[in-house]
């Protein structure tokens, strides 16, 4: 029996807390004898292991109600790792003030400080950082629409 990804997404939405603080970033289903369902969640304030466990229990219950308890599968509910790209515009808000590395639709890359999220939710303002000889130079803030971003990663700094 194969698991229907669209049905799982619907079940996942029903498994999230009603207050809307958590949202699904990704859901994948492996194509194997014993499928693995991997759910990546995030929240406006991040999320902890308790929230992951709660959603995991709710989703597992819904899967078993629909497919029966004979179905053999693995369920993993997790938060995005620090090195994972930002996939949902809602993820950007908690990274304001941090440095992002962007890959854009036109093939260029930009690294800079995330200044703000545009009020209309269409993009971000980024103060690009470029290296000029041995110094860093900060360029004026530019607007980068979400539609123009193919990948965004938070730059981890250990300074």
């Amino acid at each position: 029996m194969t698991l229907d990804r669209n049905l799982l997404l619907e079940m996942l939405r029903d498994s999230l807390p009603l207050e809307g603080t958590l949202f699904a970033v990704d859901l994948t289903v492996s194509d194997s004898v014993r499928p693995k369902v991997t759910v990546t969640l995030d929240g406006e304030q991040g999320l902890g292991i308790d929230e992951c466990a709660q959603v995991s229990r709710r989703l597992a219950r819904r899967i078993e109600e629909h497919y029966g308890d004979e179905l053999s599968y693995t369920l993993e509910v997790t938060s995005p790792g620090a090195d994972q790209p930002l996939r949902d515009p809602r993820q950007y808000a908690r990274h304001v003030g941090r440095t992002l590395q962007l890959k854009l639709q036109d093939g260029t890359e930009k690294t800079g400080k995330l200044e703000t999220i545009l009020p209309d939710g269409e993009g971000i303002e980024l103060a690009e950082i470029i290296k000029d000889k041995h110094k860093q130079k900060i360029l004026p803030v530019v607007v980068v629409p979400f539609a123009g971003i193919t990948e965004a990663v938070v730059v981890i700094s250990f300074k």
Side-chain angles (χ1 to χ4, degrees):
M1 178 181 296
T2 59
L3 295 168
D4 180 351
R5 184 178 182 278
N6 292 328
L7 179 60
L8 290 173
L9 278 168
E10 191 177 309
M11 290 178 188
L12 175 59
R13 280 188 218 102
D14 292 340
S15 301
L16 295 174
L18 292 177
E19 60 268 8
T21 57
L22 298 182
F23 52 90
V25 175
D26 195 21
L27 183 143
T28 60
V29 181
S30 71
D31 189 25
S32 60
V33 176
R34 183 173 187 210
K36 179 178 181 180
V37 178
T38 305
V39 174
T40 305
L41 300 177
D42 208 345
E44 295 164 3
Q45 306 299 318
L47 77 152
I49 193 152
D50 292 336
E51 290 94 349
C52 287
Q54 182 182 37
V55 172
S56 178
R57 285 190 297 273
R58 289 178 180 172
L59 181 56
R61 196 172 324 117
R62 284 177 172 77
I63 291 171
E64 289 170 9
E65 286 171 359
H66 187 270
Y67 289 100
D69 55 2
E70 302 86 39
L71 177 68
S72 179
Y73 70 99
T74 304
L75 174 61
E76 178 182 354
V77 177
T78 185
S79 62
D83 61 339
Q84 295 297 306
L86 304 178
R87 297 177 188 235
D88 188 298
R90 294 174 284 186
Q91 290 181 284
Y92 288 77
R94 67 171 217 268
H95 296 292
V96 170
R98 296 180 78 185
T99 302
L100 298 182
Q101 184 173 15
L102 305 178
K103 291 183 182 176
L104 304 177
Q105 293 263 340
D106 64 7
T108 61
E109 294 186 13
K110 292 184 183 289
T111 299
K113 181 180 170 193
L114 175 59
E115 294 292 331
T116 189
I117 310 299
L118 295 178
D120 60 7
E122 293 295 317
I124 61 172
E125 288 187 350
L126 186 82
E128 187 175 5
I129 301 168
I130 58 171
K131 293 194 178 189
D132 186 25
K133 297 184 184 175
H134 297 293
K135 296 179 185 177
Q136 286 188 345
K137 183 177 179 183
I138 299 176
L139 299 179
V141 173
V142 295
V143 172
V144 182
F146 287 125
I149 301 172
T150 57
E151 182 176 85
V153 179
V154 177
V155 176
I156 310 277
S157 175
F158 295 104
K159 292 181 181 179

